[in-house]
Amino acid sequence: MRFALSPEQRQFSASLHDLLAGADTRAAARAWAQGRHEPGLKLWRDLHDLGIGALLVPEEHGGVGAEAADAVVAFEALGYHAVPGPLVESVAVAPALPVGDRLPALAAGELIVTVALPPEVPRALDADVAGLVLRVRDGLVERVEPGEPTRSLDPARRLFTVDGPGETLGECGAGPFETGVLAVSAQLLGAGRRLLELATEYAKHRHQYGRPIGSYQAVKHLLADVATQLELARPLVYGAAVAVQERTDVIRDTSAAKVAAGRAAHLAARTALQVHGAVGYTAEHDLGLWLMKVRALVAAWGGAAFHRARVLAALGGI
């Protein structure tokens, strides 16, 4: 078994980072939070030109038919750059749902889909930009009209109620939820890595008592703890991708990945804020984009208590 990314996956990751690094995703995220979607939608189209939307769509419907590990590569990059929008729902979850002849449009980036999966995902993310809003309940996939928006901890995430009647499109199992959990875990991993880099860079340039604060042992230990937790979470996330692909121990592995990635990203957020000090609390500082995103994603698609309980149950209650 191979435990490293393939050359193709590394190239795909590099292409994503090159695109997103030059796209000013921070401005797009801020505009998205204010209800101005065009910068984010342009970014969405650019990402689909690289094949993001087609990743998990079967080849016979115009997609790539890629493996779950390829999706982890993509979502780690998306989390690292704080890209806004219902990417988990549209790219990772929707291809596994009975959306009929809409799959080619989904693969081409011509259709944005958002999904609610009560009770763990009770609201639909960014339904105001989606061409198709779905609700998965009791094994049935329904097309619904979104209700009232509610604010998330992350201003760039607008959540819509989906309590009204729906049009049944078909049935589905638990697979879409597990894929969504995997994608969110990968986003947390990428966001945590970005927070670590922001904190490390700041520690090099912020001086206290005539020395960079990064030269103090206490700060080094804080940053080293974050790096350790992120590296411990990474194999769990990629291991969950293998489980999703091979459909073995899926619940155990996706939940373990979510817990580990959430813990590591949360530690990265707390540490980055501690290292930055008061400036990290200001709305104008870029750090806030990742702080709010991590805080929201840790609770999204099932919180730590929910996923710990699933791991315990999968291990036979040991």
Side-chain angles (χ1 to χ4, degrees):
M1 181 177 291
R2 183 178 179 85
F3 292 97
L5 296 181
S6 68
E8 292 78 14
Q9 288 170 330
R10 293 184 183 278
Q11 184 177 1
F12 180 46
S13 176
S15 298
L16 282 172
H17 282 293
D18 287 344
L19 169 66
L20 295 172
D24 198 359
T25 57
R26 293 165 296 183
R30 286 195 169 92
W32 196 277
Q34 296 166 4
R36 295 186 290 109
H37 296 122
E38 186 49 42
L41 292 176
K42 180 183 182 304
L43 184 58
W44 182 284
R45 292 189 291 270
D46 292 340
L47 284 167
H48 280 73
D49 287 342
L50 280 181
I52 284 287
L55 269 180
L56 298 181
V57 175
E59 292 184 58
E60 59 267 27
H61 295 289
V64 177
E67 297 183 352
D70 300 312
V72 169
V73 171
F75 279 97
E76 189 175 351
L78 296 172
Y80 180 92
H81 292 279
V83 178
L87 288 154
V88 169
E89 294 75 7
S90 198
V91 174
V93 178
L97 299 177
V99 296
D101 58 2
R102 301 179 181 90
L103 279 176
L106 187 66
E110 299 167 358
L111 175 67
I112 298 176
V113 179
T114 190
V115 186
L117 297 91
E120 273 61 57
V121 189
R123 294 179 175 83
L125 176 65
D126 294 322
D128 50 344
V129 300
L132 181 62
V133 181
L134 302 177
R135 177 179 62 206
V136 180
R137 186 173 58 179
D138 299 327
L140 297 178
V141 180
E142 303 170 314
R143 180 175 185 173
V144 295
E145 292 297 325
E148 295 297 317
T150 58
R151 289 187 63 84
S152 166
L153 289 168
D154 179 3
R157 291 171 57 88
R158 284 166 56 83
L159 303 172
F160 288 76
T161 59
V162 288
D163 300 326
E167 171 196 354
T168 300
L169 300 181
E171 300 179 356
C172 79
F177 178 74
E178 306 305 336
T179 305
V181 172
L182 175 65
V184 171
S185 301
Q187 278 188 309
L188 283 165
L189 201 59
R193 185 160 61 90
R194 182 59 175 152
L195 283 163
L196 175 60
E197 290 181 7
L198 286 170
T200 302
E201 207 50 41
Y202 185 80
K204 291 178 181 177
H205 297 101
R206 174 72 167 91
H207 282 66
Q208 192 80 30
Y209 304 114
R211 295 169 55 189
I213 62 172
S215 66
Y216 293 101
Q217 197 72 10
V219 176
K220 290 180 180 179
H221 280 302
L222 287 174
L223 298 174
D225 286 345
V226 174
T228 299
Q229 289 299 318
L230 288 171
E231 287 307 306
L232 288 174
R234 183 179 303 279
L236 288 177
V237 175
Y238 278 94
V242 174
V244 167
Q245 189 68 34
E246 298 182 354
R247 302 186 182 184
T248 58
D249 298 318
V250 176
I251 291 177
R252 182 197 68 187
D253 289 357
T254 54
S255 284
K258 180 63 160 51
V259 170
R263 181 175 59 232
H266 187 255
L267 179 62
R270 292 185 59 182
T271 301
L273 185 57
Q274 185 175 357
V275 169
H276 278 78
V279 71
Y281 286 92
T282 62
E284 294 79 13
H285 199 284
D286 289 340
L287 186 70
L289 296 175
W290 283 272
L291 292 178
M292 295 297 100
K293 183 167 290 295
V294 163
R295 187 65 186 88
L297 290 179
V298 164
W301 291 78
F306 168 77
H307 285 290
R308 288 180 197 276
R310 292 215 309 170
V311 173
L312 181 63
L315 294 174
I318 297 174

